[in-house]
Amino acid sequence: MLEAFTTHELLSNIPVQIESICTYEDRLLVGTKQGTLLVYKFENDKIDLFLTLKGFSKKTINQIAVTTVFSPYQLVALSEGNLNVYSIQQSSIQLLPCEGLTKTRGSTLFSLHQSSAADEMPSAQLAVACKRKIVLYHWLKKGPPQEVKEINLYDVPKAVVYHGHGYSDKIYIGFKGKYCQLNISSEQVKDMLCTGRQLEATMLWVDKDTVAICKDEWSILLGEDGKPYQDEYKSNIKWCDCPTALLYCKPYIAAVINKGIEVKTIQLVDPIQIIELPKVKLVAQDKRMFVASATHLWELKLNDLVYQVDKLITLKQFELAEALNKMSHERGGDHEHASRQRTVINTQAAYHEFINKRYEKSMSRFQKSNVEVANVIGLFPDLLSKKMQDKQQYPPEIVEARNYLTTKDIETGLEALEKYLVAKRFDLNKYEEEVSNSKQTKIIIDTTLLKCYLQNKPKMVASLLRLKDNECHTVESERALKRARRMNDIIILYKSKGMHEKALTVLKQYANMQNTQKHELGGPEHTIKYLQDLGPEDIDLIKEYSKWVIEKHPDRCLDIFTDPSTVHSLPKEQVVQHLKSLNPDIALQYLERLIDIWNVSSQEIENSLITLLVEKVSSEWPAYQGMLAAGVVTPCAPGSEPGQLGTLRLRLTHFLERLQNYSPATVIQSLGYEIPLYQELAILYGRQKECDKALMLYCHVLKDRTKAEEFCSKYYETDKEVYYKLLRMYQCPKSLEALRLDKFKLDEPKADMGAAIDILVRHYKYIDVKEALRLLPEDTKLQDVEEFMCAILRDRTKDSRRNLLLKSLNLSDNLKVKSQKMFYQKDKLIVTAMDSCAVCNKRVGECAIAFYPDRRIVHYGCMSRDIQPDTSS
């Protein structure tokens, strides 16, 4: 058993009977049954009688206490049912007059509570039990206390103790058979517990917000709310006998029992120490602790903390050892030794908890120790490689415990190990620069975490592997994943390590196996998703491993190149060439998606799209030509051809009209003159501003006047003579030689006077009439151009009338303005240098002026003054 305290007898067989004791600093005060007050002074282990005050009281000194928050210190003494306050001088104790204390006659006990916190004004509170009431006092400076209030109770108090640090608003009161809590502000009394078989109440304020009250052999710890604690750190304490008094010396709590003193801690159930002393009945505590019987006085001295810690480690009482180690550090002990002891405590406690299969606590202790991570991992089987496992050394009892782990033990232990490894991983990332060999440690941690997750939490494997900073050992992790048949996670492992080619090879292998739909990696979607996640730096891999997807799944392969995350970053020219070499149709779809969906456009992309469409049209044309009459090719509108050719030509003309960045010259060159794509040529000539060639195709090859007029409407803003060119194309057509269409059997263009006249009639507003009339032949009949001339005359007449109307309106407005001007100018005022301002009475001079209707003159700046004009005249 641990010896926490040593007793030292200070007084024995003294001639007076001790009834009360208290201590402060280096003084001990003893109140006797004979009314004598003895003041002792102690130094180290010696005690000397410093002062004897015979006749201090006529009768027994029942209770004494000293308040040290003021200077000089004050003594509160209870004797003969009277309470008095004394001033403690250097060599005497003087009574202080206090009128308020007259209310305490017949008092039986009191409780003194002192507050000297740094953030509060020094003060003291005094609660005096007087018959069936309690009188409360409070003082903030030297001198006698001042009464605060008087509270009536239903019974006579047997014990009173204040609750908490600083100014307290709550008092615990023990009655005969019951404990209560009194709220000073509201004066409400709340019943708590009964005292049990022992009717006398025993209480002690422990620390902070904790009070211990005794019920039979138990000490029950209460919180600020007056309710017992329900956690493992503050549990009820069972003594060998009913305690009559309590002492607290962190972390120990001691009780006075029949045998003497029993010592325990709040956390541990088993007794720490039992000190046999005869008939102990009184206790006093300040910086030192004393216990007394009627004729003897002993000091309780806390033994050396370092010795106690070593002893507790041997006894495997690690929590108490840890508390004492912390106390030793706080009291200024050897910090290095305390740190070493703390490490030993955590290490030994961790192994002890592991042996007892408390794995959560074990891992928590390992977290605080300096045990290597590999040594902790090695406690569980099949987590370390054989070579690393052989290097780990353990105590014999650990080896035995490790050999008898059940499946349930391993499962529970791995859950605790996971938390330990995650915490270690966090610490390692935070203090990586301060930890030696951190890279290797991270590899061990992450690889072990992977193996733990495989056994307990398979869903967490992917999350671990996706971490950017994961350091899983590739070979070990691959072996563990294959053993668990986690092929999908193997792909994630390869990806996290940058082993893309190996991952894509595995994906291709499983995708091309029979019955792949039943396998987790079956089908092309995994390869597609993997390739989508690669960037432009991996374009060669993308091209290589997209081939089989393009060949076997042409309907899904475009997802590889048009994913939102990479569609803008991939080198599009390389993608186009790659797709074109494998399947031109897919290349065409890719280009259309770029333009229509992703709004990606450039001259190269648009040229490639149109060139591919031209090539597709050219490849379909021979089949269509064979369907026509032998030897004769007639032009036809795009889209009228049967089969795919018509659709292709519609798409081609759509993009030729819509796109803005392609090069018409390049497209004309790719178009060639081998097939009669007249509509497409007309659009391209228009883009090149060669309106004559375009109109020639519309008018004399396609013979589509509607298209020709739409063309003129489209390009009129850029070429104001386009309608004149259209008129000239019908009036004086040119040869088709400029179009290089000699290969096709086309009729030479002829003048079309009817079409020309129709153009003049409907679009004369956009044509220079003089130039148009010069184009007409000399033999043109007037009746042929009658409609054209009438339309022009109607417009001219209409414009003339409109101009006359506007002229009349402007003249009317002008006359109206002149009339208003004359009206405002008819009234005049002659101002001379001698005239003065009606407000300031100063001469007007050359300043700006104004005048009222009564013709009084004022400065313009004086108008803001409140001067009412004289309206009497």
Side-chain angles (χ1 to χ4, degrees):
M1 185 176 289
L2 178 68
E3 292 185 1
F5 294 93
T6 302
T7 58
H8 178 59
E9 189 176 61
L10 300 176
L11 300 174
S12 62
N13 298 319
I14 59 175
V16 291
Q17 184 175 339
I18 301 173
E19 287 294 331
S20 57
I21 59 174
C22 77
T23 180
Y24 69 95
E25 294 182 353
D26 61 346
R27 298 287 194 275
L28 174 67
L29 279 64
V30 178
T32 66
K33 186 175 182 179
Q34 292 77 12
T36 301
L37 181 66
L38 304 176
V39 181
Y40 291 91
K41 182 177 181 180
F42 45 81
E43 184 175 354
N44 297 328
D45 293 335
K46 295 181 180 181
I47 186 168
D48 297 317
L49 182 60
F50 177 73
L51 184 64
T52 301
L53 297 176
K54 291 183 179 181
F56 181 81
S57 174
K58 294 179 181 180
K59 293 185 180 181
T60 302
I61 303 174
N62 304 104
Q63 187 179 354
I64 53 177
V66 176
T67 173
T68 58
V69 295
F70 308 118
S71 180
Y73 298 161
Q74 296 178 5
L75 169 66
V76 182
L78 175 63
S79 177
E80 303 179 74
N82 294 318
L83 192 73
N84 293 303
V85 178
Y86 301 84
S87 175
I88 301 175
Q89 305 298 330
Q90 184 66 24
S91 59
S92 65
I93 298 178
Q94 298 177 357
L95 178 66
L96 291 176
C98 183
E99 297 179 359
L101 292 178
T102 57
K103 290 187 177 183
T104 63
R105 289 174 183 173
S107 56
T108 53
L109 58 93
F110 68 86
S111 176
L112 180 64
H113 179 69
Q114 304 180 71
S115 172
S116 57
D119 57 344
E120 294 182 5
M121 181 183 296
S123 65
Q125 292 172 270
L126 182 65
V128 185
C130 184
K131 298 179 182 179
R132 293 191 177 187
K133 64 181 179 180
I134 190 164
V135 185
L136 304 174
Y137 294 88
H138 186 213
W139 66 97
L140 297 173
K141 57 184 178 179
K142 63 182 179 179
Q146 302 298 317
E147 181 184 351
V148 176
K149 63 172 58 178
E150 180 181 319
I151 302 174
N152 293 321
L153 304 172
Y154 64 85
D155 200 356
V156 178
K158 299 296 182 181
V160 177
V161 63
Y162 277 93
H163 182 272
H165 280 292
Y167 180 83
S168 178
D169 194 47
K170 293 180 181 178
I171 299 176
Y172 285 90
I173 303 175
F175 298 101
K176 188 175 181 179
K178 184 184 291 186
Y179 292 101
C180 296
Q181 186 189 65
L182 171 64
N183 187 299
I184 297 175
S185 300
S186 63
E187 301 185 11
Q188 292 183 350
V189 178
K190 181 173 70 174
D191 292 339
M192 294 187 299
L193 300 171
C194 63
T195 59
R197 298 190 309 273
Q198 181 182 353
L199 297 180
E200 295 299 325
T202 302
M203 297 187 295
L204 174 71
W205 173 59
V206 179
D207 66 345
K208 295 183 179 178
D209 57 353
T210 305
V211 170
I213 64 175
C214 295
K215 178 183 178 182
D216 297 332
E217 296 87 3
W218 292 89
S219 285
I220 301 169
L221 302 179
L222 305 179
E224 187 176 3
D225 57 357
K227 296 181 180 180
Y229 285 101
Q230 300 293 332
D231 58 60
E232 59 179 319
Y233 299 104
K234 290 185 178 180
S235 57
N236 297 333
I237 305 167
K238 186 176 182 180
W239 307 102
C240 298
D241 198 355
C242 295
T244 58
L246 296 173
L247 283 168
Y248 180 71
C249 178
K250 187 178 180 180
Y252 298 114
I253 185 169
V256 176
I257 58 176
N258 288 334
K259 291 182 181 180
I261 306 294
E262 183 179 357
V263 181
K264 284 194 170 189
T265 67
I266 292 177
Q267 291 85 7
L268 299 180
V269 176
D270 297 332
I272 299 297
Q273 183 182 10
I274 295 179
I275 305 170
E276 294 186 0
L277 295 174
K279 299 180 181 180
V280 175
K281 64 175 183 176
L282 301 171
V283 297
Q285 180 180 6
D286 187 43
K287 294 181 179 178
R288 307 173 87 164
M289 294 187 297
F290 300 93
V291 295
S293 64
T295 56
H296 290 70
L297 181 70
W298 297 271
E299 181 183 3
L300 288 180
K301 297 186 69 175
L302 186 66
N303 287 331
D304 179 62
L305 294 178
V306 175
Y307 159 76
Q308 290 192 58
V309 170
D310 291 336
K311 182 68 174 178
L312 288 168
I313 292 173
T314 305
L315 296 173
K316 298 188 182 304
Q317 294 183 0
F318 301 107
E319 291 185 1
L320 183 54
E322 190 174 35
L324 293 180
N325 175 266
K326 185 178 180 182
M327 283 180 59
S328 175
H329 179 78
E330 291 173 349
R331 293 183 179 184
D334 187 342
H335 290 184
E336 291 186 5
H337 187 270
S339 178
R340 288 195 297 271
Q341 272 193 330
R342 188 160 51 250
T343 301
V344 172
I345 291 169
N346 286 319
T347 303
Q348 294 295 326
Y351 285 127
H352 178 72
E353 299 290 358
F354 180 84
I355 292 171
N356 289 280
K357 300 185 179 183
R358 294 190 287 264
Y359 301 112
E360 287 278 355
K361 292 184 177 180
S362 176
M363 294 302 128
S364 177
R365 288 286 188 178
F366 277 125
Q367 180 68 27
K368 301 174 185 176
S369 71
N370 60 357
V371 178
E372 291 186 1
V373 174
N375 193 266
V376 178
I377 296 171
L379 293 171
F380 300 94
D382 302 327
L383 293 181
L384 294 177
S385 63
K386 188 176 184 307
K387 182 179 179 181
M388 186 173 291
Q389 184 69 57
D390 293 340
K391 293 180 180 180
Q392 310 308 316
Q393 301 295 325
Y394 301 103
E397 60 270 20
I398 295 295
V399 175
E400 183 179 358
R402 185 176 179 273
N403 292 334
Y404 286 96
L405 290 174
T406 64
T407 304
K408 181 64 176 177
D409 293 336
I410 294 174
E411 182 179 337
T412 306
L414 289 183
E415 289 181 0
L417 181 63
E418 289 168 13
K419 297 178 183 178
Y420 164 79
L421 293 173
V422 170
K424 276 291 184 183
R425 192 179 194 277
F426 176 80
D427 292 342
L428 201 60
N429 288 335
K430 189 174 182 181
Y431 306 106
E432 186 171 3
E433 296 179 357
E434 304 173 15
V435 181
S436 59
N437 203 18
S438 61
K439 178 73 173 179
Q440 183 63 27
T441 305
K442 287 180 71 175
I443 292 174
I444 295 172
I445 289 174
D446 285 356
T447 307
T448 306
L449 260 179
L450 175 71
K451 294 178 180 179
C452 291
Y453 287 154
L454 282 173
Q455 294 192 48
N456 279 2
K457 300 176 182 176
K459 293 182 179 180
M460 292 293 293
V461 173
S463 299
L464 173 63
L465 293 174
R466 287 192 179 99
L467 291 176
K468 293 182 180 180
D469 61 343
N470 97 78
E471 296 289 349
C472 292
H473 189 274
T474 306
V475 177
E476 280 287 320
S477 301
E478 184 181 21
R479 186 182 297 118
L481 290 169
K482 285 183 177 179
R483 190 162 51 242
R485 297 183 179 181
R486 305 281 299 184
M487 297 309 299
N488 199 29
D489 293 328
I490 288 178
I491 299 301
I492 299 174
L493 173 67
Y494 291 155
K495 187 175 183 180
S496 67
K497 300 298 180 182
M499 303 165 64
H500 302 307
E501 189 166 5
K502 192 170 184 179
L504 288 166
T505 302
V506 173
L507 287 173
K508 180 180 179 181
Q509 174 187 346
Y510 277 94
N512 292 329
M513 289 173 59
Q514 293 182 352
N515 300 323
T516 55
Q517 296 301 325
K518 297 180 181 180
H519 195 277
E520 61 177 343
L521 297 181
E525 57 272 4
H526 299 285
T527 299
I528 292 172
K529 181 65 176 66
Y530 197 102
L531 292 173
Q532 285 175 340
D533 294 336
L534 299 181
E537 65 278 3
D538 299 307
I539 186 62
D540 293 334
L541 275 177
I542 295 174
K543 288 161 62 176
E544 177 63 28
Y545 285 92
S546 65
K547 288 180 180 178
W548 73 267
V549 181
I550 296 171
E551 292 171 359
K552 295 189 176 183
H553 303 277
D555 56 326
R556 303 183 61 180
C557 64
L558 274 183
D559 294 341
I560 297 172
F561 307 99
T562 57
D563 184 71
S565 60
T566 56
V567 65
H568 294 285
S569 59
L570 290 178
K572 299 167 186 61
E573 291 77 13
Q574 293 189 46
V575 174
V576 171
Q577 293 303 320
H578 170 64
L579 294 176
K580 189 176 179 181
S581 65
L582 297 174
N583 190 329
D585 290 338
I586 295 175
L588 191 57
Q589 294 175 35
Y590 170 72
L591 290 167
E592 289 183 359
R593 285 195 189 184
L594 285 181
I595 294 171
D596 291 338
I597 299 177
W598 299 109
N599 296 321
V600 177
S601 187
S602 65
Q603 189 176 70
E604 292 77 10
I605 291 174
E606 294 184 4
N607 284 346
S608 298
L609 171 64
I610 295 173
T611 302
L612 274 173
L613 282 171
V614 169
E615 291 175 0
K616 290 288 293 179
V617 169
S618 300
S619 64
E620 294 290 332
W621 187 263
Y624 170 69
Q625 192 175 21
M627 296 170 61
L628 298 176
V632 178
V633 177
T634 58
C636 60
S640 63
E641 302 86 352
Q644 192 177 5
L645 177 61
T647 304
L648 288 171
R649 289 196 68 184
L650 282 175
R651 287 164 65 189
L652 177 58
T653 54
H654 167 74
F655 284 114
L656 286 174
E657 290 176 346
R658 173 189 160 197
L659 301 182
Q660 302 296 325
N661 299 318
Y662 65 87
S663 170
T666 303
V667 177
I668 290 174
Q669 185 177 0
S670 66
L671 196 64
Y673 298 95
E674 300 299 322
I675 54 177
L677 302 179
Y678 308 131
Q679 175 75 29
E680 291 81 350
L681 277 173
I683 295 172
L684 291 169
Y685 284 137
R687 283 294 180 87
Q688 284 188 313
K689 311 301 181 194
E690 297 183 64
C691 297
D692 288 334
K693 291 183 178 180
L695 290 172
M696 189 179 299
L697 285 168
Y698 283 125
C699 296
H700 300 297
V701 178
L702 293 172
K703 299 184 177 3
D704 191 337
R705 193 195 305 172
T706 303
K707 287 285 187 181
E709 291 181 18
E710 289 176 358
F711 177 87
C712 293
S713 176
K714 181 177 180 180
Y715 287 98
Y716 177 74
E717 293 299 325
T718 57
D719 186 357
K720 298 296 184 181
E721 294 185 354
V722 66
Y723 280 100
Y724 174 75
K725 293 177 180 179
L726 176 62
L727 174 66
R728 188 176 59 193
M729 194 60 60
Y730 280 113
Q731 190 72 28
C732 307
K734 297 181 180 179
S735 173
L736 296 178
E737 293 180 1
L739 299 178
R740 299 172 60 186
L741 299 176
D742 302 340
K743 179 178 179 180
F744 307 107
K745 298 178 180 179
L746 298 175
D747 298 332
E748 280 298 319
K750 297 178 180 179
D752 188 345
M753 192 64 183
I757 297 298
D758 187 56
I759 294 295
L760 276 174
V761 171
R762 291 193 297 111
H763 302 291
Y764 64 87
K765 294 181 180 180
Y766 309 108
I767 301 174
D768 188 335
V769 177
K770 293 181 180 180
E771 295 298 326
L773 292 175
R774 289 194 185 99
L775 285 177
L776 295 176
E778 294 181 357
D779 59 348
T780 302
K781 297 179 180 179
L782 185 60
Q783 63 184 15
D784 293 337
V785 293
E786 178 184 1
E787 187 176 358
F788 162 64
M789 298 301 294
C790 289
I792 291 176
L793 290 174
R794 279 196 303 272
D795 279 0
R796 295 291 185 271
T797 303
K798 184 177 179 180
D799 291 343
S800 177
R801 289 176 178 174
R802 182 174 178 276
N803 291 335
L804 287 174
L805 179 61
L806 289 174
K807 182 179 178 182
S808 298
L809 290 173
N810 289 335
L811 180 60
S812 175
D813 289 342
N814 189 26
L815 292 174
K816 185 177 180 181
V817 171
K818 286 181 178 180
S819 175
Q820 289 178 340
K821 181 181 178 183
M822 291 172 63
F823 174 78
Y824 289 118
Q825 288 181 342
K826 70 180 180 179
D827 192 10
K828 66 179 180 178
L829 180 67
I830 300 174
V831 181
T832 66
M834 300 303 294
D835 292 328
S836 59
C837 174
V839 176
C840 65
N841 294 321
K842 294 180 181 179
R843 291 188 178 180
V844 173
E846 297 181 357
C847 298
I849 63 170
F851 65 93
Y852 288 108
D854 61 357
R855 308 184 75 76
R856 285 188 304 144
I857 302 171
V858 294
H859 287 116
Y860 186 78
C862 294
M863 285 193 351
S864 59
R865 302 185 186 183
D866 191 16
I867 301 297
Q868 296 296 327
D870 186 6
T871 57
S872 59
S873 58

